[in-house]
Amino acid sequence: MTSFDATLDRPLPCYRVIHPLDDTPELKCDPDRLGRMALRPVVKWSLLALRSYLIVMILLVGYRVFGSLGVL
Amino acid sequence: MPPATKPDGRTVGSRWSHRLLSFLVVAGPGLIVMVADNDAGAISTYTQAGAQYGTKLLWVLLLLLPVTYFIQEMVARLGIATGRGHAAMIYRRFGKWWGRFSLFDLLLVNFLTLVTEFAAVALAADRLGLSPLIAVPLAAAALVGLVGTGSYRRWERMTLVLCGLDLAWFILAAMTTPDASTVIHDLVVPSVPAGGITPDLVFLVIAIVGTTIAPWQLFFQQSCVADKRLRFSDLKWARIDTFLGACMVVGLGLAMMLVGNALHQAGLDYTDPAQMAEALAPSIGHVGRTLILLMMVNCAILGATAVSLSSAWAWGEVACWSHSLQMRMSEAPGFYASYAACVALAAGLVLIPGAPLQEIIVSVQVLAGIMLPSAIIFLQLLLNDRELLGEAFVNKPWNNVVNWTVIAVLFALSLVLAAQVLAPELFPATTP
């Protein structure tokens, strides 16, 4: 009987779920305090090469599309 | 003890209920970005792949499952760690020059993609007996109404309902009664279709890759995660959300390819998904035909809202405008105006008669496939930014190995595309 009462008295576990939009905002990793990322020259040139590559590829796709439409 | 609602949350009595509810409040961005990825262009690309090559390209989809998950998981992680969108991160960490280039690329592909969404609405509506002149403006108005409620939660719930409707593709695939053993075999055993590696096959494979993992997805999910204000502790649930979404995008793609396969088996020609619906009507019935056309509209609406939002979020982040679905139109006029402008311009363009819509649809996927490696490179650099993210959120070495492999494969595919456009004689058709 004593043990039964003890079970009744023990607080049941309870878990709280808060929707992110209702929760207190967290302090995030802030890019503003850091400014621009330091890029090594090789990374910088690679990105420039990538940009040139993209421009060429966009033109190629355009060429193919217009070609298939009989415009070129 | 029954669950009790508190103003700042909900209390539950068991660990399992807690886990389930924690997942449910976090889920959304991952599922939406993936299901919305199966948009009008995806229907077109997947069904065309099925119609031309049967089930022979199913294995490509299975390969794309982990790739899709790994890429989108990085985006979710970056969004949770910084609370910022992808465009904002490129702008802040790489400077205005790269920020503007990335934004230009995104807006270009997004606008063309949006055109394809409305093209699909016009095609499907026409076959359903509704004039495109009515259906397209109606769809555009619905798209603006969907986001303009001033509540992120309302938008997310409505969009998740649209995602749920997409499950009808599985019913459609079942209606075409594909041979299960062939499907399983072609899903797990890579093979080249009869006819060998032709320029058309390479073009279509790049289109499949481009439609399954599109650049807008990176921008969309990160902005969505930031707008939903997901917390550090939500990362594990966001990962599950993203994984379920990746399974959905591949599963739905598979179903679409199987619907296209029915055309292949019947020996019928393929023009576009709406024509496919008509051609399959004798075998899947009037209900099946109508369902395909309705799914075209649903997928187009889903894709259009996600693509337009990714543009509006990115523009808002770069222009430093207020940009949240939690805000009313009067509180974020630039954000909502750019969304509405994208929608209205694309809808207007589709109503111009004689536009070569099928060519535009496939080409947009190819363009997206070409732009993806460069978008992932920025993501890769940001996820290795220890100064910003610290050890908790930065990529692990195995993440980097996977990502550089993906980038290399995507580059190789785009180089193959370049080679076949410049020198098609290098790709003669071979006999199996």
Side-chain angles (χ1 to χ4, degrees):
Chain A
M1 189 68 187
T2 310
S3 65
F4 180 69
D5 286 343
T7 310
L8 277 180
D9 291 343
R10 192 191 309 151
L12 288 168
C14 70
Y15 304 90
R16 201 151 58 105
V17 180
I18 303 173
H19 193 282
L21 288 168
D22 299 328
D23 208 353
T24 318
E26 286 177 330
L27 196 62
K28 301 283 191 181
C29 307
D30 183 11
D32 291 338
R33 69 182 165 82
L34 296 173
R36 287 175 62 170
M37 188 189 289
L39 296 176
R40 284 179 294 147
V42 65
V43 177
K44 201 176 278 185
W45 284 107
S46 302
L47 287 175
L48 278 171
L50 182 70
R51 165 54 42 193
S52 315
Y53 164 82
L54 264 182
I55 292 168
V56 171
M57 292 306 288
I58 290 169
L59 292 173
L60 276 176
V61 172
Y63 170 78
R64 185 181 166 111
V65 171
F66 287 117
S68 69
L69 291 174
V71 177
L72 295 174
Chain B
M1 190 170 73
T5 305
K6 289 186 176 180
D8 56 350
R10 180 177 282 265
T11 304
V12 290
S14 79
R15 193 181 291 272
W16 278 106
S17 308
H18 177 245
R19 285 179 181 161
L20 180 64
L21 201 56
S22 298
F23 168 69
L24 290 176
V25 297
V26 171
L31 271 169
I32 291 171
V33 73
M34 298 293 193
V35 179
D37 184 46
N38 277 335
D39 60 353
I43 297 176
S44 187
T45 306
Y46 294 141
T47 53
Q48 186 176 347
Q52 284 185 1
Y53 301 107
T55 53
K56 289 291 178 192
L57 294 179
L58 287 179
W59 60 273
V60 179
L61 283 174
L62 197 62
L63 272 183
L64 289 173
L65 172 64
V67 177
T68 312
Y69 170 73
F70 285 130
I71 292 171
Q72 293 304 131
E73 185 274 338
M74 287 200 295
V75 174
R77 187 154 34 102
L78 190 58
I80 287 176
T82 61
R84 304 280 187 102
H86 199 56
M89 290 307 301
I90 294 175
Y91 211 73
R92 298 284 180 278
R93 292 302 276 155
F94 294 95
K96 288 179 182 175
W97 199 73
W98 290 112
R100 284 178 186 147
F101 265 134
S102 299
L103 185 64
F104 171 78
D105 287 348
L106 178 77
L107 294 180
L108 172 72
V109 182
N110 277 7
F111 182 72
L112 292 174
T113 308
L114 205 50
V115 172
T116 68
E117 311 297 0
F118 283 111
V121 172
L123 272 174
D126 197 33
R127 302 274 180 164
L128 286 166
L130 186 65
S131 166
L133 288 171
I134 296 169
V136 172
L138 213 62
L143 280 164
V144 175
L146 184 66
V147 301
T149 62
S151 163
Y152 173 90
R153 270 177 273 215
R154 211 169 292 144
W155 167 81
E156 189 181 77
R157 282 173 196 154
M158 288 191 286
T159 310
L160 283 172
V161 169
L162 295 179
C163 290
L165 294 176
D166 255 14
L167 295 173
W169 280 107
F170 292 113
I171 299 170
L172 283 165
M175 286 168 83
T176 62
T177 58
D179 177 40
S181 58
T182 309
V183 170
I184 293 167
H185 176 269
D186 290 345
L187 189 63
V188 295
V189 181
S191 60
V192 176
I197 300 171
T198 62
D200 283 343
L201 176 65
V202 176
F203 200 72
L204 202 54
V205 168
I206 295 173
I208 290 172
V209 176
T211 194
T212 313
I213 318 159
W216 67 262
Q217 290 179 264
L218 310 181
F219 290 82
F220 175 87
Q221 191 173 359
Q222 193 172 332
S223 296
C224 199
V225 161
D227 206 358
K228 195 172 179 178
R229 300 212 298 257
L230 293 190
R231 302 146 297 194
F232 298 139
S233 58
D234 293 329
L235 182 56
K236 62 181 171 188
W237 306 119
R239 281 178 170 146
I240 295 174
D241 177 40
T242 305
F243 181 72
L244 286 177
C247 293
M248 281 286 284
V249 74
V250 168
L252 287 168
L254 192 141
M256 291 173 191
M257 227 182 250
L258 290 180
V259 174
N261 173 51
L263 217 58
H264 179 76
Q265 285 181 325
L268 298 168
D269 287 333
Y270 178 93
T271 312
D272 58 63
Q275 169 270 335
M276 178 190 74
E278 299 289 354
L280 289 179
S283 56
I284 60 173
H286 184 70
V287 173
R289 168 199 169 270
T290 308
L291 200 53
I292 290 177
L293 296 172
L294 289 175
M295 281 303 103
M296 277 178 71
V297 176
N298 186 56
C299 292
I301 295 283
L302 254 176
T305 188
V307 168
S308 311
L309 269 176
S310 77
S311 294
W313 266 321
W315 208 337
E317 287 158 14
V318 169
C320 295
W321 294 335
S322 300
H323 53 275
S324 172
L325 289 170
Q326 279 290 91
M327 294 174 168
R328 287 192 294 272
M329 286 192 180
S330 57
E331 294 170 315
F335 169 66
Y336 285 110
S338 54
Y339 176 93
C342 288
V343 167
L345 276 173
L349 201 67
V350 166
L351 294 177
I352 297 172
L357 300 176
Q358 184 60 18
E359 283 83 358
I360 292 174
I361 287 170
V362 177
S363 302
V364 165
Q365 311 305 339
V366 175
L367 207 56
I370 285 167
M371 286 182 176
L372 187 64
S374 68
I376 300 176
I377 281 179
F378 280 112
L379 183 64
Q380 177 72 349
L381 292 172
L382 285 167
L383 262 300
N384 280 287
D385 189 356
R386 281 189 160 70
E387 193 185 9
L388 172 70
L389 301 177
E391 292 301 322
F393 293 101
V394 85
N395 265 359
K396 303 283 179 289
W398 67 267
N399 281 124
N400 289 330
V401 171
V402 170
N403 296 335
W404 284 119
T405 308
V406 169
I407 290 167
V409 171
L410 291 173
F411 262 121
L413 282 173
S414 60
L415 283 172
V416 171
L417 176 77
Q420 71 158 278
V421 174
L422 288 173
E425 66 278 5
L426 291 174
F427 296 85
T430 54
T431 49

